[in-house]
Amino acid sequence: MQALLHQIFSGLANGAIYASVALALVMIFKATHEVNFAQGELAMFSTFVASSLINAGWPYWGAFVATLAFSFVVGVVIERVVMRPLQGAPALNTVVVFIGLLVLFNGLASWIFGHTMREFPSPFPPAAWYGSSYLSPHEVGMIGVTLVVLTIVFLFFRFTRLGLAMRAAAENPHSSRLVGINVGWMLALGWGLAGALGAVAGMMAAPIVYLEPNMMSGVILYGFAAALLGGIDNPWGAPLGGFLVGVLENVAGAYLVGSHLKLALALALIIGVLLFKPSGLFGKTTVVRV
Amino acid sequence: MRGAAGRSARARLVLTALVATAALVAPFLLGDYQVYQLSVIVVYIVAVLGFDLLTGFTGQVSLGQGAFFALGAYTGVIALTKLHVPYAATPVLAGAVCFVVGTLFGRTVARLEGLYLALATFALAIATPQILKLDALDAWTGGSQGINFGKPASPLPTLLNDDRSLYFLCLAFAFLLYTGAWNLLRGPTGRALVALRDQPVAAATVGIDVAAYRSTAFGVSALYTGVAGALGALVAGFISPDSYTLFLSIQILVGGVIGGITAIGGAIFGGAFIEIVPDLVSKISDAAPWALYGLLLIVCIMVMPGGVAGLARSILHAAEKSRKARPR
């Protein structure tokens, strides 16, 4: 029982990372119906930037905020420069461009920062009072940061004019244009937010998985599984899916498949959801008109 | 009109003859290492062909070709080392196994549309090395060490050394598969596949069995990729799980997109590209080829979505037009 509880709690902590990644995926999917295959590599790149800032003597939270700003700008620039001209292009073209971005950022990171694993600091000291036998302080911190981020995102979309405009632009671009919303910029802002959310996930994951160019390949796979399970068009469902998948990964890893098959488990989850419940647990079923 | 068609057919014939001559003569002019590289090019050409058949002609976006490449390689090597199948026959066996598995996988995912299929195959590509390292399969796969079996010896050592004989084995398979693809795509099957890609709903209403065609296309593509995998293993003399990561799938994707996914001739360029260019660029930095690949993928889709083959085609067209415009 003790062991099971332990697995569940640390699954929730991993789930917090998947939740941020999943929310970032939803952010872009809602607006453009595209799945950002490069989300993980963008997050990895952002984390390298944070690491460089910290090594240059910045305090952790200063570097954290600066990295969020950097990732936001990178997201906006990618939307404006790369994704913009592709609007309405067939799925193949956008998928290839996303893969291009993935490889580009992976290559740039190895080129600039090198292949060697780096340690990445946690802002939550190992002996802090909120640690326990179930959850280390970093794990508690991860869950806390994710919940704070989710709340901020919720408040932003629910209570600000800009948030409302972004939701409108995603829901119905034509009518939004008629009431004077700049739909193009709303999409770019969505990309920026997704970039920042990914950076949060990267910086929270790095103390656990260590910082190196391929650090996100497992995380992004679980992020996909989370988003699909919760519903890739549902900003509540997807993060919830993240926590669910995190727990599932840990419990199944400990009792069913062993830690050597965790990626195959994510693969099975992704294909299973796509085949049997393509809209996810909390998603909307879409009907396509011929 | 006839003249124009004749001219473009003649241009194609000349090009084919040139490529064929180069493929037959080059190995006798080059050193062993270059012959090995040439074999790898031929292997990649076959793999890119498999990708083109699936993604270019049926519009099913696959990011998981590396998984079938790995399946082919492992099937071939296990057949060679455990079942003592003659090495020249292992690609046939690998192709057959991959065809069956590919068709089953294709059947399972036949109803996933573009983006979701890409997701499923992306996941497959990421999970592949881990599945290959599985403890339960250790006796067959050699676990994370893989299998080192050494290059098979040439059957005619006086005539061809080992590297050259392997090269001609690859070339023979590539020739068969290339002409196979060419014939397949010229006929009604090819038209049905293209119809499925461009207008799936309309294709279904004129009686094309969407799921059957899609899964068969998946199987055929897996067959090509599997043969390439088995040949690649023979040429290298060893296999290990970490050679079959997501980046192998991406490399095949790059070859397809750069060459042009809707023209099988493009596969020749694409296959050569993904072997030669990284070699040149990695002198700058180990990671430079990947950064370049990323940039090329993005630029290629934006500037010349038809790849090099599409570019060549439009240049031919433009030349044709200007010739017609000229007064006689």
Side-chain angles (χ1 to χ4, degrees):
Chain A
M1 198 59 211
Q2 193 82 354
L4 178 66
L5 272 180
H6 191 269
Q7 293 296 344
I8 290 177
F9 277 116
S10 69
L12 282 176
N14 288 345
I17 295 170
Y18 306 148
S20 307
V21 174
L23 187 61
L25 291 171
V26 172
M27 200 78 83
I28 288 174
F29 185 87
K30 278 288 265 188
T32 56
H33 288 266
E34 284 155 6
V35 174
N36 184 2
F37 286 92
Q39 192 77 63
E41 310 305 295
L42 290 173
M44 172 273 296
F45 197 84
S46 300
T47 311
F48 265 113
V49 170
S51 164
S52 304
L53 290 178
I54 292 169
N55 287 346
W58 286 50
Y60 182 91
W61 291 109
F64 186 89
V65 173
T67 302
L68 291 194
F70 167 80
S71 315
F72 183 88
V73 173
V74 170
V76 170
V77 169
I78 289 178
E79 201 282 334
R80 293 268 103 177
V81 178
V82 182
M83 303 316 293
R84 204 86 227 281
L86 283 173
Q87 265 176 9
L92 171 66
N93 294 25
T94 50
V95 168
V96 170
V97 168
F98 277 121
I99 295 297
L101 285 172
L102 185 160
V103 185
L104 179 63
F105 277 94
N106 192 288
L108 282 180
S110 332
W111 196 344
I112 302 170
F113 305 109
H115 290 286
T116 39
M117 283 195 179
R118 290 196 198 179
E119 297 225 4
F120 190 83
S122 166
F124 311 104
W129 56 269
Y130 41 82
S132 66
S133 60
Y134 290 117
L135 283 173
S136 72
H138 180 70
E139 288 176 323
V140 176
M142 268 179 357
I143 298 176
V145 166
T146 301
L147 291 180
V148 169
V149 168
L150 287 180
T151 314
I152 293 174
V153 170
F154 168 74
L155 293 176
F156 170 72
F157 278 107
R158 181 72 184 74
F159 292 110
T160 66
R161 282 179 66 90
L162 190 57
L164 181 65
M166 284 177 70
R167 279 193 292 149
E171 205 71 43
N172 192 337
H174 294 290
S175 308
S176 309
R177 223 166 256 131
L178 291 178
V179 296
I181 296 171
N182 188 337
V183 173
W185 269 106
M186 295 303 122
L187 296 187
L189 284 184
W191 260 88
L193 280 181
L197 278 168
V200 173
M203 286 185 279
M204 290 297 117
I208 302 174
V209 295
Y210 293 104
L211 182 54
E212 50 104 12
N214 296 319
M215 71 177 234
M216 293 299 274
S217 69
V219 176
I220 191 68
L221 206 54
Y222 272 94
F224 282 144
L228 289 170
L229 183 67
I232 194 156
D233 59 354
N234 185 331
W236 286 114
L240 201 61
F243 286 108
L244 268 175
V245 166
V247 172
L248 202 66
E249 174 200 6
N250 258 21
V251 173
Y255 299 103
L256 273 176
V257 295
S259 62
H260 295 306
L261 266 185
K262 281 189 172 181
L263 292 178
L265 179 73
L267 167 71
L269 259 173
I270 288 173
I271 293 185
V273 173
L274 283 175
L275 290 181
F276 299 112
K277 193 97 178 65
S279 53
L281 294 177
F282 314 102
K284 260 189 301 202
T285 317
T286 48
V287 180
V288 178
R289 196 164 166 183
V290 173
Chain B
M1 205 55 217
R2 258 190 81 88
R7 255 194 296 277
S8 106
R10 212 178 312 139
R12 193 172 298 157
L13 204 68
V14 170
L15 199 63
T16 314
L18 275 177
V19 171
T21 318
L24 289 173
V25 175
F28 296 105
L29 307 175
L30 297 170
D32 282 353
Y33 181 68
Q34 273 107 5
V35 174
Y36 158 79
Q37 281 192 308
L38 219 51
S39 310
V40 177
I41 290 178
V42 175
V43 167
Y44 281 146
I45 290 173
V46 175
V48 172
L49 262 181
F51 175 78
D52 287 352
L53 284 175
L54 184 66
T55 304
F57 289 91
T58 63
Q60 302 187 83
V61 187
S62 170
L63 302 176
Q65 295 301 93
F68 292 105
F69 197 92
L71 181 63
Y74 272 82
T75 309
V77 172
I78 290 170
L80 180 74
T81 55
K82 299 274 166 13
L83 312 175
H84 306 292
V85 173
Y87 78 90
T90 57
V92 179
L93 202 67
V97 169
C98 285
F99 176 75
V100 173
V101 176
T103 309
L104 290 177
F105 186 81
R107 188 88 215 177
T108 319
V109 298
R111 58 194 169 110
L112 300 184
E113 291 303 326
L115 182 61
Y116 297 99
L117 181 64
L119 249 177
T121 48
F122 181 81
L124 180 66
I126 291 191
T128 297
Q130 211 177 52
I131 297 172
L132 293 175
K133 285 179 197 167
L134 203 61
D135 287 339
L137 302 173
D138 214 76
W140 295 89
T141 60
S144 47
Q145 294 294 315
I147 304 170
N148 195 339
F149 55 93
K151 289 182 192 185
S154 166
L156 305 162
T158 47
L159 209 61
L160 297 168
N161 66 10
D162 296 352
D163 282 310
R164 294 203 176 101
S165 85
L166 279 173
Y167 168 77
F168 281 107
L169 180 72
C170 294
L171 196 65
F173 273 102
F175 176 74
L176 276 178
L177 292 173
Y178 190 90
T179 42
W182 194 64
N183 281 312
L184 183 80
L185 294 171
R186 259 187 342 156
T189 318
R191 280 194 288 278
L193 291 178
V194 171
L196 269 180
R197 177 192 71 197
D198 295 338
Q199 294 289 343
V201 180
T205 55
V206 296
I208 296 172
D209 185 342
V210 178
Y213 266 99
R214 278 194 177 163
S215 55
T216 312
F218 224 108
V220 173
S221 164
L223 183 154
Y224 276 68
T225 318
V227 171
L231 289 172
L234 289 177
V235 169
F238 75 95
I239 48 174
S240 86
D242 292 319
S243 336
Y244 306 103
T245 59
L246 172 68
F247 289 96
L248 173 63
S249 300
I250 293 180
Q251 207 165 8
I252 297 173
L253 173 89
V254 172
V257 171
I258 299 281
I261 52 170
T262 53
I264 55 171
I268 298 177
F269 184 89
F273 184 91
I274 54 179
E275 171 61 18
I276 297 169
V277 170
D279 219 40
L280 297 178
V281 186
S282 61
K283 293 192 177 96
I284 307 170
S285 150
D286 266 359
W290 293 106
L292 178 75
Y293 277 171
L295 209 62
L296 275 177
L297 278 179
I298 298 168
V299 171
C300 195
I301 286 293
M302 292 188 164
V303 183
M304 47 171 211
V308 167
L311 195 69
R313 206 180 283 163
S314 51
I315 290 174
L316 266 181
H317 266 282
E320 227 33 85
K321 245 191 204 153
S322 71
R323 195 173 300 153
K324 250 184 264 167
R326 220 179 298 143
R328 288 182 190 266

